[in-house]
């Protein structure tokens, strides 16, 4: 079964054709949601990548409004760069080196030019997720994950080593993580229309301002599984990203 719908678009600089993919709508509910708002399906992020580097000429550009005629679902009669050639700037994530490379890409983009608030929010949100990728799924280091039989010892062991190493790298980069979140918070509070769900209380929690996170969550009218989990983690003074459902 095909899980993705392909679409095609052209680099505005060199006119090369690129293939993009969207997860089929009916599969979105089967995805994994994390507390920072990142959603993964089959290890693929489901949020569309809006800023990319052309794999043919290296030009950086945005796909703001993905509508025809800029984007078409019809395969063009020309050579097409596949999704993997440009998705996340061609980085592979099988080890922590790839995760650090992605962080550096975003830091470089942010340093290189000035962006409209909407675009800066987009880049800082993806930078936040990239930092969190260093220790996402931290719960997998527990022996429970080996004992429940989801993974073989070899897979569990090497995965565990990567996550523990990632945790060290995360702590090493904590200053950059915090300053990105502080700037993102200022932008989101100034532009509430750009906020996603529980992003603001989650940012306070990850900045370890647990009382502020709790205060914002308490202001929400109704409780959900997500808000209860965030309150629980705030009470434990745990600022690490966690899996909400999946
Ligand atoms: Zn190009």
């Amino acid at each position: 079964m095909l899980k993705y719908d392909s679409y095609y678009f052209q680099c505005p600089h060199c006119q090369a054709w690129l293939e993009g993919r969207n997860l089929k709508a009916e599969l979105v509910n089967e995805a994994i949601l994390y507390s920072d708002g990142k959603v993964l399906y089959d290890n693929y992020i489901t949020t569309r990548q809006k800023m990319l580097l052309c794999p043919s000429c290296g030009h950086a550009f945005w796909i703001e409004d993905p509508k025809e005629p800029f984007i078409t679902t019809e395969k063009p009669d020309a050579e097409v760069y596949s999704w993997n050639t440009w998705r996340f700037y061609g980085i592979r994530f099988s080890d922590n080196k790839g995760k650090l490379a992605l962080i550096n890409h975003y830091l470089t983009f942010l340093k290189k030019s000035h962006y409209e608030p909407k675009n800066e929010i987009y880049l800082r949100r993806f930078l936040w997720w990239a930092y969190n990728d260093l220790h996402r799924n931290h719960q997998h280091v527990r022996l429970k994950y080996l004992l429940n039989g989801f993974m073989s010892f070899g897979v569990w062991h090497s995965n565990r080593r990567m996550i523990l190493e990632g945790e060290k790298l995360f702590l090493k980069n904590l200053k950059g993580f915090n300053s990105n979140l502080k700037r993102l918070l200022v932008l989101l509070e100034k532009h509430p229309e750009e906020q996603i769900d529980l992003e603001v209380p989650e940012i306070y929690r990850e900045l370890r301002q647990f009382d502020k996170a709790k205060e914002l969550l308490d202001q929400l009218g109704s409780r959900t599984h997500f808000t209860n989990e965030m309150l629980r983690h705030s009470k434990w003074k745990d600022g690490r990203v966690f899996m909400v459902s999946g």
Side-chain angles (χ1 to χ4, degrees), residues 52-236:
L52 51 115
L53 294 176
C54 171
S56 175
C57 72
H59 176 66
F61 63 102
W62 291 79
I63 320 178
E64 281 296 347
D65 202 10
K67 276 193 288 207
E68 303 223 35
F70 187 63
I71 278 182
T72 168
T73 49
E74 224 163 281
K75 194 169 187 210
D77 191 18
E79 203 189 318
V80 176
Y81 284 88
S82 73
W83 194 35
N84 284 330
T85 60
W86 61 268
R87 200 179 72 90
F88 289 112
Y89 318 104
I91 291 170
R92 296 194 183 280
F93 295 100
S94 46
D95 60 24
N96 287 317
K97 272 192 206 129
K99 295 176 186 176
L100 288 174
L102 184 63
I103 290 169
N104 283 329
H105 263 294
Y106 291 128
L107 289 173
T108 309
F109 292 149
L110 285 162
K111 229 181 274 166
K112 242 198 232 162
S113 78
H114 181 77
Y115 299 93
E116 280 175 49
K118 199 172 78 173
N119 290 350
E120 188 179 340
I121 287 170
Y122 169 86
L123 286 173
R124 292 197 179 275
R125 183 181 286 137
F126 273 70
L127 175 59
W128 172 25
W129 294 351
Y131 277 120
N132 273 343
D133 285 345
L134 288 168
H135 66 171
R136 201 176 287 280
N137 295 325
H138 190 267
Q139 73 277 13
H140 287 177
V141 304
R142 280 148 57 185
L143 196 61
K144 188 179 108 181
Y145 279 83
L146 171 66
L147 299 178
N148 69 11
F150 285 149
M151 304 172 191
S152 71
F153 179 78
V155 170
W156 175 77
H157 191 253
S158 70
N159 193 39
R160 182 174 196 272
R161 204 166 50 189
M162 187 166 88
I163 296 172
L164 292 178
E165 186 196 65
E167 177 79 352
K168 274 189 207 148
L169 291 168
F170 178 84
L171 292 173
K172 215 171 130 189
N173 286 282
L174 194 58
K175 221 173 123 193
F177 173 82
N178 283 337
S179 75
N180 178 54
L181 276 192
K182 283 178 190 160
R183 172 74 187 148
L184 180 59
L185 198 53
V186 169
L187 288 164
L188 288 172
E189 285 179 340
K190 231 198 246 171
H191 302 275
E193 72 284 359
E194 296 293 328
Q195 292 177 12
I196 298 176
D197 299 333
L198 301 171
E199 198 167 43
V200 170
E202 173 65 4
I203 291 174
Y204 279 110
R205 189 186 69 83
E206 294 196 25
L207 284 169
R208 308 187 65 79
Q209 296 182 33
F210 300 113
D211 290 339
K212 180 72 184 173
K214 199 175 161 296
E215 184 193 315
L216 292 176
L217 290 167
D218 283 338
Q219 284 168 13
L220 297 170
S222 58
R223 288 281 173 84
T224 61
H225 170 65
F226 195 170
T227 53
N228 284 335
E229 283 296 293
M230 275 170 73
L231 281 166
R232 236 152 49 95
H233 285 261
S234 303
K235 216 167 111 189
W236 296 336

